[in-house]
């Protein structure tokens, strides 16, 4: 079968964009389904939530089983929002396990499809250009999707859903909206059915890439669905959204010129490295400053490990909510886009400080970078409000061959520091990230030791 997949590559070249068929496949309640499968349980009849039992009742459930969704629970509710009369299993997150199962499922796809025709969108979702494979397997698009879904279910116990469309956008919308109402969990959209059903669909925030902010700005012009976008004067849209109006106009008409080949060929104009975390409780100015030290230390090691240097740095410090923030949340409501609830107005309205600073050099020296971060922190961070979120980052990241020096650079000292950093990376690589720690990480409110045992902020 692999040989057949490779042989059809020559046919791909002669197919124009309008003739393509795309699949968007999503693994239904992925984390919860994996936990049910590992326990020999049916996720459609088992009440299970994936949430850390060591955290408070305010912690977000990473996933809930389809059985709980059928009772009206959102996919990313908080534990305290589960009605008290519902009995359920609470499964501790196991991120490494989910990554392993995701990799296994990707390998299943590769039995049927060449890797150049797959675009992984997230750990539980991917796009597939099915165009060359329908003739190869003598099936239509629905049968091909079912073939992949059946293989995943048989080998992993995870149920998948699929959207089918003539472009990537239509496939995604078919998955998000149409597949939910199909008995076989497969939704199909072409331009004609899109115009008949989706253009008038409300709320407009159900449409991929349209959040409450965009919806609010469209509502100012009396627009509440994609049909309204089509009917609105384009100059008004460009005035409101700038160049991003082009995406909105295309999608309102069911158009998406971008292909998987375009995505794979894309090269960003600039690169960056980021590290962020939500703190487990309120932190004082000094406690949060120690966390910044830990985060910068780890991010600099990432620069060294990847042989990169940076010419700018950024800091974001978010503060605990006040009564006014909670009142605003309650008044405006919440939006759930499938990846957790957030206030309708977004996070930008919450108090935060920080900024971005250009450097006079390109470097990955901790001795230079840490004092610059701490200066930025000391100058911009409030001391009268508790800290709850911290993000640090490096911008304009380039290969270390482009590092710059000045007349005052102590080359010998930087070479010694580099040897030390490489030794630290070697020890951590062999014995684990907690094999070597700075004294700061032994403080009570330090977070590095715990985060070194996590993936994406959750138990590995």
């Amino acid at each position: 079968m692999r040989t057949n997949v490779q042989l059809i590559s020559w046919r791909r070249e002669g197919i124009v964009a309008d003739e393509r068929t795309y699949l968007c496949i999503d693994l239904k309640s992925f984390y919860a389904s994996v936990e049910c499968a590992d326990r020999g349980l049916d996720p459609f009849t088992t009440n299970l939530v994936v949430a850390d039992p060591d955290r408070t009742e305010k912690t977000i459930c990473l996933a809930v089983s389809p059985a709980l969704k059928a009772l009206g629970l959102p996919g990313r509710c908080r534990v305290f929002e589960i009605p008290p009369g519902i009995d359920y299993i609470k499964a501790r997150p196991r991120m490494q396990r989910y990554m392993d199962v995701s990799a296994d499922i990707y390998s299943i796809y590769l039995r049927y499809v060449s890797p150049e025709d797959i675009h992984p969108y997230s750990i539980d979702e991917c796009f597939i250009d099915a165009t060359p494979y329908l003739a190869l397997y003598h099936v239509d698009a629905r049968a091909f999707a079912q073939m992949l879904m059946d293989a995943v279910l048989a080998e992993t116990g995870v149920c998948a859903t699929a959207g089918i469309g003539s472009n990537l956008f239509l496939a995604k919308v078919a998955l998000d909206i149409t597949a939910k109402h199909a008995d076989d969990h497969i939704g199909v959209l072409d331009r004609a059915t899109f115009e008949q059903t989706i253009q008038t669909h409300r709320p407009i925030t159900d449409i991929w890439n349209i959040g409450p902010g965009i919806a609010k700005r469209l509502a100012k012009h009396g627009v509440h669905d994609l049909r309204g976008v089509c009917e609105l004067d384009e100059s008004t849209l460009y005035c409101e959204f700038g160049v991003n109006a082009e995406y909105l106009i295309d999608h309102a008409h069911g158009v998406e010129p971008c292909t998987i080949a375009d995505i794979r060929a894309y090269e960003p104009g600039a690169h960056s490295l980021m590290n962020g975390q939500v703190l487990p409780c309120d932190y004082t100015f000094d406690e949060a400053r120690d966390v910044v030290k830990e985060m910068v230390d780890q991010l600099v090691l990432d620069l060294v490990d990847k042989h990169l240097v940076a010419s700018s740095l950024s800091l974001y410090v978010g503060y605990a909510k006040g009564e006014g923030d909670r009142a605003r949340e309650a008044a405006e409501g919440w939006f759930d886009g499938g990846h957790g609830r957030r206030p309708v107005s977004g996070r930008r309205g919450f108090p935060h400080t920080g900024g971005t600073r250009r450097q006079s050099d390109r470097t990955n020296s901790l001795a230079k970078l840490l004092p610059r971060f701490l200066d930025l922190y000391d100058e911009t961070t409030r001391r009268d409000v508790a800290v709850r979120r911290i993000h640090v980052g490096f911008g304009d990241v380039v290969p270390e061959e482009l590092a710059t020096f000045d007349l005052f650079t102590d080359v010998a000292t930087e070479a010694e520091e580099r040897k030390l950093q490489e030794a630290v990376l070697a020890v951590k690589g062999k014995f684990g990230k907690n094999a070597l720690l700075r004294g700061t990480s032994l403080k009570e409110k330090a977070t590095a030791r715990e985060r070194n045992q996590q993936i994406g902020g959750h138990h590995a």
Side-chain angles (χ1 to χ4, degrees):
M1 184 175 296
R2 177 61 59 83
T3 302
N4 289 341
V5 169
Q6 293 172 342
L7 286 175
I8 57 86
S9 62
W10 63 271
R11 301 177 55 200
R12 188 181 296 107
E13 305 298 329
I15 303 173
V16 298
D18 291 341
E19 299 173 349
R20 311 202 81 85
T21 300
Y22 289 97
L23 308 183
C24 185
I25 302 181
D26 175 68
L27 306 173
K28 197 171 182 65
S29 301
F30 180 49
Y31 299 162
S33 293
V34 171
E35 295 295 342
C36 286
D38 285 352
R39 291 168 169 77
L41 303 173
D42 183 353
F44 289 92
T45 58
T46 302
N47 295 337
L48 182 144
V49 302
V50 179
D52 190 343
D54 295 334
R55 299 188 181 183
T56 68
E57 293 293 294
K58 293 182 179 180
T59 190
I60 294 177
C61 299
L62 295 187
V64 305
S65 63
L68 281 174
K69 284 187 176 180
L71 297 177
L73 265 71
R76 290 295 185 92
C77 65
R78 296 182 183 271
V79 173
F80 73 84
E81 294 176 318
I82 302 175
I86 297 179
D87 293 327
Y88 62 89
I89 300 169
K90 183 184 287 187
R92 184 187 300 274
R94 298 182 296 158
M95 300 308 295
Q96 187 61 56
R97 173 60 179 159
Y98 308 145
M99 293 168 64
D100 292 341
V101 175
S102 179
D104 291 341
I105 292 173
Y106 184 77
S107 69
I108 293 173
Y109 298 150
L110 290 180
R111 298 178 199 165
Y112 300 86
V113 179
S114 173
E116 60 215 70
D117 290 319
I118 304 178
H119 171 56
Y121 186 60
S122 66
I123 191 173
D124 61 348
E125 192 170 335
C126 74
F127 290 94
I128 295 177
D129 186 348
T131 313
Y133 303 99
L134 305 185
L136 177 67
Y137 298 116
H138 306 290
V139 293
D140 60 14
R142 185 183 291 274
F144 183 56
Q146 192 67 60
M147 181 190 307
L148 298 177
M149 294 162 60
D150 289 346
V152 170
L153 181 62
E155 297 189 36
T156 68
V158 176
C159 179
T161 58
I164 300 172
S166 53
N167 60 50
L168 293 172
F169 174 71
L170 292 180
K172 175 63 173 170
V173 174
L175 171 72
D176 291 343
I177 298 177
T178 310
K180 293 180 179 179
H181 308 290
D183 294 335
D184 59 359
H185 307 296
I186 299 175
V188 182
L189 281 178
D190 56 21
R191 290 282 296 279
T193 54
F194 173 83
E195 292 176 358
Q196 295 168 3
T197 59
I198 304 301
Q199 278 189 342
T200 55
H201 177 87
R202 297 186 183 185
I204 196 172
T205 50
D206 285 347
I207 306 299
W208 177 78
N209 217 30
I210 298 182
I214 294 177
K216 188 175 182 179
R217 294 166 71 180
L218 287 172
K220 293 191 307 183
H221 304 282
V223 174
H224 302 281
D225 53 33
L226 293 181
R227 181 69 56 79
V229 175
C230 295
E231 295 171 350
L232 192 64
D233 188 270
E234 289 190 4
S235 61
T236 301
L237 290 169
Y238 278 101
C239 181
E240 182 70 46
F241 298 102
V243 294
N244 289 330
E246 181 177 347
Y247 304 111
L248 189 59
I249 294 168
D250 280 353
H251 290 172
H253 289 87
V255 174
E256 176 52 73
C258 182
T259 66
I260 289 180
D262 294 329
I263 295 172
R264 297 180 70 88
Y266 173 74
E267 287 289 341
H271 298 269
S272 62
L273 283 180
M274 302 292 294
N275 185 1
Q277 62 175 297
V278 177
L279 300 172
C281 61
D282 290 351
Y283 274 51
T284 66
F285 174 90
D286 290 330
E287 291 167 344
R289 194 175 190 270
D290 287 336
V291 174
V292 170
K293 292 180 183 178
E294 293 182 302
M295 296 172 69
V296 173
D297 185 29
Q298 180 57 55
L299 204 58
V300 170
L301 283 176
D302 288 343
L303 281 176
V304 174
D305 190 36
K306 295 178 171 64
H307 303 285
L308 300 170
V309 292
S311 58
S312 71
L313 53 86
S314 62
L315 173 70
Y316 171 97
V317 177
Y319 301 100
K321 301 173 187 174
E323 290 302 321
D325 301 318
R326 295 188 182 93
R328 178 164 56 82
E329 282 182 354
E332 295 182 348
W334 296 81
F335 170 71
D336 190 341
H339 297 281
R341 295 196 318 161
R342 63 179 185 269
V344 168
S345 59
R347 296 292 184 191
R348 295 180 181 177
F350 290 114
H352 65 273
T353 55
T356 300
R357 285 190 176 171
R358 300 286 302 180
Q359 303 182 109
S360 60
D361 55 0
R362 301 191 193 101
T363 182
N364 56 16
S365 167
L366 181 66
K368 292 181 176 180
L369 293 169
L370 181 57
R372 295 170 186 175
F373 264 106
L374 295 181
D375 286 345
L376 179 58
Y377 178 85
D378 293 341
E379 292 172 17
T380 61
T381 304
R382 295 175 58 179
R383 289 166 168 78
D384 60 331
V385 184
V387 176
R388 288 306 300 266
R389 295 181 300 278
I390 302 174
H391 296 263
V392 298
F394 291 119
D396 299 319
V397 174
V398 296
E400 63 183 354
E401 291 81 4
L402 301 177
T404 57
F405 305 92
D406 56 34
L407 293 175
F408 302 100
T409 299
D410 189 333
V411 178
T413 300
E414 290 204 0
E416 286 298 318
E417 180 189 348
R418 176 56 181 263
K419 290 180 181 179
L420 177 60
Q421 290 172 317
E422 290 175 344
V424 170
L425 286 168
V427 172
K428 287 176 175 283
K430 185 173 183 179
F431 299 105
K433 292 182 178 180
N434 282 335
L436 277 178
L437 293 170
R438 294 185 181 274
T440 303
S441 297
L442 300 178
K443 292 186 176 181
E444 181 183 358
K445 289 293 190 72
T447 63
R449 285 178 296 168
E450 182 178 0
R451 286 180 65 82
N452 284 342
Q453 298 174 329
Q454 298 176 342
I455 296 176
H458 301 283
H459 287 284

